[in-house]
Amino acid sequence: MDLLITGAAGFIGSALTQALRAAGHAVTAVDDLSVTSLRPRPDRLQVRDVRSLTPADLAGVHTVVHLAAHKSVPRSFDVGGFEHNIAVDRHMIHTFAASPARRLLLASSCEVYGQQTGPLAETATHAPRSPYAAGKAATEHLAGIYQPLLKAGREIGIVRFFNCFGPHEDPDAVVPAFLDAVTQERPLAVEGSGSQARDLTHIDDTVTMLARILHAAELLPVVNCGSGHATSIRALAESVIRVAGRGTLVHTAQRPNEIRSFTADMSRYTTVYGPMTYQPLEQALAATLRDRARTWKPVAGACP
């Protein structure tokens, strides 16, 4: 299969690029490197803005996987945060529609669900609580507008990612923030009471789920990508301390507009793509801590 992946130097994009190439697929990797990261970059990376891609760039490409985005929820409240992601997504959808490529798989987020009780099924309404989430919801609606305009045999699918973690994740996410803190012998900063819960999935399991989607006969219009189980942030911090054998907690102010819980309803995924066997959380955390210590050199004292 010939694929083009945008955001290929990102956390999920780099792991997916490596896995697909290792499986023998031809992958064109594109990233503008606008997000600074110490993560290893894929070989043969095309450093360019996604908005410079044209339909001609997709000639010979079977599937486009569009992962490129500025993913910070807090920074999306800054002027331009919402507009940037929307412009990139709009360009990618339009470019795909005008190209000969057969499939476009778009990255969305559990953030589109907002404050709802879980497990969260794909049929739940959009209830975004940040510009980032509103942008992802808008992208999903754009995909719905373009899909009926495509010729038979061409399709757009959406994957709503929950909280994926792994050794090469940037330190602004909760799992690497906790791992870096315990490694540097800093307290693990838990916002508020720590009762807020997140659906956590190791990057290897996420890549397995994506590979199944990409190899399936058809794309689902939208599907969750998570574990189906939520862990409170306090319990996560305690798990990190257990696997590291050291560490302390400190509670900080609760984040404004915090969402209480995200839990993926994985029924649709399981029905279409088959059941998943996930790595147990503490086993995955221990492996991530070990691999991160070997391959990642965080800045001492960096804030999560």
Side-chain angles (χ1 to χ4, degrees), residues 16-253:
L16 182 62
T17 297
Q18 181 180 6
L20 291 173
R21 284 176 172 172
H25 299 288
V27 178
T28 299
V30 176
D31 198 294
D32 67 1
L33 300 182
S34 60
V35 177
T36 303
S37 177
L38 300 175
R39 181 172 38 251
R41 298 172 187 171
D43 295 335
R44 306 183 302 280
L45 179 70
Q46 292 189 18
V47 181
R48 60 188 296 189
D49 192 315
V50 170
R51 289 168 291 184
S52 73
L53 290 170
T54 69
D57 291 312
L58 305 189
V61 172
H62 179 274
T63 299
V64 179
V65 183
H66 178 47
L67 302 172
H70 290 173
K71 70 178 185 65
S72 172
V73 170
R75 286 197 291 273
S76 74
F77 284 88
D78 297 339
V79 174
F82 171 85
E83 292 81 358
H84 173 83
N85 282 351
I86 283 293
V88 171
D89 294 351
R90 168 71 171 83
H91 178 84
M92 196 68 253
I93 293 171
H94 181 77
T95 300
F96 165 76
S99 80
R102 182 169 180 267
R103 287 177 164 183
L104 172 62
L105 186 63
L106 293 168
S108 187
S109 168
C110 61
E111 293 283 344
V112 301
Y113 292 115
Q115 191 79 277
Q116 302 187 53
T117 57
L120 298 162
E122 292 87 347
T123 52
T125 58
H126 288 158
R129 300 189 70 182
S130 69
Y132 170 80
K136 288 299 184 184
T139 295
E140 292 193 14
H141 287 293
L142 278 173
I145 291 169
Y146 273 82
Q147 177 62 65
L149 304 178
L150 299 176
K151 292 182 179 179
R154 305 187 68 218
E155 54 189 346
I156 300 174
I158 295 163
V159 176
R160 289 178 182 158
F161 290 105
F162 283 67
N163 288 71
C164 175
F165 70 93
H168 292 144
E169 189 177 12
D170 289 316
D172 58 345
V174 64
V175 172
F178 284 171
L179 296 177
D180 290 351
V182 79
T183 298
Q184 298 167 22
E185 298 184 354
R186 293 183 284 109
L188 282 65
V190 175
E191 295 176 345
S193 67
S195 61
Q196 63 273 32
R198 298 294 180 262
D199 187 315
L200 302 166
T201 309
H202 188 269
I203 184 64
D204 290 349
D205 294 333
T206 297
V207 167
T208 296
M209 285 188 277
L210 287 173
R212 289 188 187 179
I213 292 171
L214 292 171
H215 284 92
E218 295 181 356
L219 295 179
L220 289 173
V222 61
V223 66
N224 287 334
C225 186
S227 71
H229 175 74
T231 300
S232 75
I233 298 303
R234 182 177 177 89
L236 171 63
E238 291 169 346
S239 290
V240 168
I241 289 172
R242 276 195 297 273
V243 300
R246 63 186 184 279
T248 57
L249 300 180
V250 61
H251 288 271
T252 62

